[in-house]
Amino acid sequence: MPQLNLATISYLLIATALWAGNAIAGRVLVASGAVSPITLSAVRWGLAALLLLPFGWGVFKPSSAFWKNKKRFLLLGLFGVGSYNVLLYLALQTSTAINVTLIGASMPIWMLFIGAVFYHVKPSLLQLVGAVVSLVGVAIVLTRGDLSSLVSMQMVVGDLLIMLATILWGFYSWMLSKPGKSTERNWPWADFLMAQVFVGLLWTGFFDGFEIAAGHAHLDLNLWTGSLILFVAIGPSLIAYRCWGLGVNGAGPTVAAFFANFIPLFTALLSAAMLGEPPQLFHGLAFALIVSGIIVSSRPRNSRIYSKF
């Protein structure tokens, strides 16, 4: 049965904080033209795979259970590594930061929907209320306390891409929670992560082939861009994915999804810190609403949604 204890909370907060850093680094790299979006994802995961290889090479042994579950990992690698990151970086080309983050904040809603339709896990009323409360908190962060500005938002192609990425991430998280016949929870942590990174890298390389063929692939490598790419390869990739997997297994995919709403809050705080701006009152209000959404959604320990795990 999922439990929201201190360790699980820490794992999920570490993951979301690192992904906030990824959002900032990705925007800097893509918006500045230093690297094309799909090439950024390919380089990021290629470097992550090299760093992880000394620890997770055992997954490639002929006797590894990875080969018996290759179809499952083809989907895990596609949903969680390959498509999500490519779609995110592509979305940053045309969509605004507020649109991308607000649409990404709909993850708890999609997580509840996917659980109900595909895994027959019916959400409770409190979880639906918690999702709405948490979403309001995100909206306050993104509008800097002026919710009326949401009326002027305009949809672009990037918004559709990040919505698709969010839905696919929902499937990825549910798959982590429901391993089925796979024995992956008993694997060494590096083997399990290596399996996802390796397959995700194959998918990313496939997508990058189209960017290269179209003549849009480029990489301006210097000390600054190299440092940012190294960061996204270690923090938001290896560390964050490991922490997210532990968090999902501890809290369940639905509750874990609410923690994703800390990403825009952490992103705003990191951006403000880089600009030398102190936290504002609306940051505190948003934090309170996001936390309230998590507490409300995870309160009914014996509710119907938990009885399915």
Side-chain angles (χ1 to χ4, degrees):
M1 180 179 293
Q3 294 182 353
L4 193 59
N5 52 36
L6 182 59
T8 299
I9 292 173
S10 299
Y11 290 138
L12 294 171
L13 287 178
I14 290 172
T16 52
L18 288 171
W19 283 330
N22 178 56
I24 295 175
R27 289 171 195 165
V28 170
L29 289 167
V30 173
S32 66
V35 58
S36 53
I38 305 181
T39 297
L40 171 58
S41 188
V43 173
R44 165 191 179 181
W45 289 110
L47 183 56
L50 287 176
L51 294 171
L52 187 61
L53 187 59
F55 308 97
W57 63 270
V59 77
F60 300 117
K61 292 181 179 179
S63 59
S64 171
F66 166 69
W67 304 110
K68 299 178 182 179
N69 298 279
K70 54 182 179 295
K71 291 183 179 179
R72 168 176 168 80
F73 279 91
L74 279 174
L75 291 179
L76 275 176
L78 175 63
F79 294 162
V81 176
S83 62
Y84 181 85
N85 294 278
V86 167
L87 290 170
L88 171 63
Y89 292 140
L90 284 173
L92 290 172
Q93 283 189 311
T94 57
S95 184
T96 63
I98 184 173
N99 284 36
V100 167
T101 319
L102 184 58
I103 293 171
S106 65
M107 187 182 294
I109 302 296
W110 289 112
M111 202 75 79
L112 292 172
F113 176 79
I114 292 170
V117 174
F118 295 94
Y119 292 90
H120 309 293
V121 179
K122 188 176 181 180
S124 67
L125 178 60
L126 284 179
Q127 287 177 322
L128 294 173
V129 172
V132 173
V133 171
S134 186
L135 186 59
V136 171
V138 174
I140 289 175
V141 172
L142 299 175
T143 60
R144 301 183 67 84
D146 182 15
L147 293 177
S148 62
S149 63
L150 292 175
V151 179
S152 60
M153 287 178 58
Q154 296 181 348
M155 295 290 289
V156 294
V157 174
D159 299 334
L160 299 178
L161 293 177
I162 195 62
M163 182 175 293
L164 176 59
T166 303
I167 294 172
L168 292 178
W169 186 264
F171 279 106
Y172 167 74
S173 296
W174 271 106
M175 288 183 69
L176 288 180
S177 177
K178 300 288 186 178
K181 297 181 180 179
S182 175
T183 59
E184 62 202 41
R185 291 186 178 179
N186 298 322
W187 298 4
W189 71 268
D191 286 16
F192 180 47
L193 188 56
M194 187 72 215
Q196 297 179 67
V197 171
F198 172 71
V199 177
L201 178 60
L202 294 180
W203 280 112
T204 305
F206 172 73
F207 296 140
D208 195 33
F210 291 97
E211 188 174 72
I212 294 173
H216 299 314
H218 64 274
L219 172 61
D220 180 15
L221 191 61
N222 52 50
L223 182 60
W224 172 242
T225 58
S227 299
L228 289 178
I229 292 174
L230 183 62
F231 163 71
V232 299
I234 297 176
S237 301
L238 300 180
I239 298 176
Y241 272 71
R242 170 60 175 163
C243 288
W244 181 260
L246 292 171
V248 168
N249 287 333
T254 302
V255 175
F258 285 85
F259 281 82
N261 286 343
F262 279 110
I263 297 176
L265 177 61
F266 290 153
T267 302
L269 291 174
L270 286 173
S271 299
M274 292 171 65
L275 296 173
E277 299 176 357
Q280 303 295 319
L281 180 61
F282 65 82
H283 287 129
L285 177 59
F287 178 82
L289 288 172
I290 294 172
V291 171
S292 297
I294 293 173
I295 293 174
V296 169
S297 67
S298 60
R299 185 175 181 181
R301 297 289 180 179
N302 59 346
S303 67
R304 286 173 293 177
I305 191 166
Y306 288 108
S307 65
K308 296 290 184 177
F309 286 91

